[in-house]
Every structure is written in structure tokens, then in C-alpha cells.
Amino acid sequence: IGCFSHKELKEGLLGRELPGSSVKADKRIREKIIKAASRSKKTQKSINGLVFKHAMDRLFFPELRKPRAECRIFDGYVIGMDFSGWQKSERMYIKLLAPAIQVKIYVQDLNAEHRCMYVPTDRKTFGRWGTAISISPLGNTRAPTFVIGMKVTLKVLDHATYARDSTKDRWIFDVRPAMENRGNDDDDDDDDDD
């Protein structure tokens, strides 16, 4: 790919074809290069996905063997919400602090955990992707509202395989505003300074 691009660039700078080149041959080579680049991109995306899945599985599977009260609490921030409803399910994206990875939280899982139905606050979404700034619960006033930029905590609840496609799976998390999973432990630390 690089060699062909350099040849094209040189021809462009010279204002003429290089010896042994022809427009017909260039078109044929260009088509092969585009196909090879597309294949390479798909392969790399697949490898990246498998590596990320392996890392998530290694991190989260041990949590399933622990009693829920002993599960690790992961800190993170809400970095996005997708409520487009097009080809994707509704989801919230959270960037964990340690390890620094991004996880998807499916809104159907939030709904089940908090016994409500989450919708964009004031039913507002932006752009063609249905980006929401915050989501609020319907039917349960005790369930938290989530806002982009909000600090949250996650605990692993479960791991699920899709019925329609057993090669696909997802992690299910208990997501809460940061102080809700920790109680008032942080406040107690401040009292030691007096």
C-alpha cells in the first residue's frame, strides 16, 4: 500500500507517469490494494475485539466467584449515552479508572437492576445517534439519575450469552452513583484530621 501511494505521489509531483506504469495497470492495482486494506482493517478490528474481550473476561470472571458483598468496586465516570434505538440497544458508556478501560452498560440491565425504565431526562436526545446528556428513571423515584461526567461505581453482577448468537456475550454490572456503593466511608476519613 505504501509503495503504491509513494509511486502515485511521485507521479503527481512529476506531472507524468513513471516508466513501466499505465493508467489501466494502476486501476487494477488500486482495486487490489483497496481490497487488501479493507481485509486488513477487518482482521485488525476482530483481533482488537478478541483481545479486549479476553482482558475483560480475565478481570471480571473472578468477581463472579465471590459473594456480592465481597466483590470489587470499580470506580469510573459516565462518558456517553446512546438512545438512538436504530441498530443498537440503548446503552451507557463508562470509563473505568483502574484499569483504564471503557465498558458498555446496557440500559435493559440498568432497568432490571433498579426496577424501573430509564429514559433520556426530559426525553431529550441530540444528533443522529440519540446522544443523551442524562437519563432518569420512570416508575421508581428511588432509582438514581445518571449524567454524563458523573462519578459512578460498578460491581460485576453476571455474564450473559445471547440466545440468538452464542458467540456473543456481555457483562452485566450494578451501576450506582459513587457514594451509594461506598456508603459514607469517605466522610469518616475526613474526621481523622481534626
Side-chain angles (χ1 to χ4, degrees):
I1 296 172
C3 294
F4 182 77
S5 298
H6 284 96
K7 179 195 82 70
E8 292 288 294
L9 180 61
K10 187 169 184 178
E11 286 179 348
L13 290 171
L14 294 173
R16 61 180 170 75
E17 285 186 13
L18 293 174
S21 253
S22 73
V23 173
K24 188 176 180 179
D26 280 359
K27 283 184 181 180
R28 201 172 56 250
I29 291 170
R30 187 177 300 116
E31 287 175 16
K32 287 181 180 180
I33 287 172
I34 290 170
K35 284 180 184 177
S38 291
R39 217 173 28 252
S40 175
K41 184 178 178 181
K42 282 182 185 177
T43 301
Q44 188 62 52
K45 184 176 180 179
S46 177
I47 290 169
N48 287 348
L50 290 170
V51 168
F52 186 70
K53 180 187 174 341
H54 179 71
M56 297 246 313
D57 290 350
R58 297 255 338 212
L59 179 63
F60 298 135
F61 265 124
E63 297 300 312
L64 292 178
R65 291 189 278 276
K66 299 177 184 176
R68 189 166 178 186
E70 294 175 20
C71 285
R72 177 177 171 185
I73 296 174
F74 295 90
D75 293 314
Y77 286 92
V78 177
I79 60 170
M81 298 177 193
D82 178 358
F83 275 76
S84 66
W86 286 12
Q87 296 175 342
K88 295 182 185 178
S89 55
E90 296 168 337
R91 54 188 76 184
M92 178 167 65
Y93 299 94
I94 295 177
K95 179 75 172 199
L96 298 184
L97 299 179
I101 60 171
Q102 179 180 314
V103 295
K104 287 181 215 170
I105 307 298
Y106 291 89
V107 173
Q108 68 189 27
D109 297 335
L110 276 178
N111 293 344
E113 179 63 20
H114 294 285
R115 294 181 179 86
C116 65
M117 184 174 135
Y118 276 96
V119 296
T121 305
D122 298 327
R123 305 281 184 165
K124 288 186 181 177
T125 60
F126 303 92
R128 70 181 238 217
W129 301 116
T131 301
I133 302 300
S134 68
I135 57 174
S136 302
L138 291 179
N140 180 354
T141 56
R142 295 177 57 103
T145 293
F146 293 98
V147 180
I148 289 182
M150 173 186 237
K151 188 172 184 182
V152 294
T153 58
L154 283 77
K155 281 188 177 185
V156 176
L157 285 181
D158 206 353
H159 180 260
T161 303
Y162 291 95
R164 290 177 295 188
D165 185 352
S166 63
T167 64
K168 293 187 177 186
D169 59 357
R170 74 177 196 273
W171 286 97
I172 301 171
F173 300 94
D174 176 11
V175 183
R176 308 234 174 226
M179 292 308 295
E180 207 170 302
N181 264 339
R182 295 217 192 292
N184 291 325
D185 293 346
D186 293 337
D187 294 338
D188 294 339
D189 292 341
D190 294 338
D191 295 339
D192 295 337
D193 296 336
D194 293 336

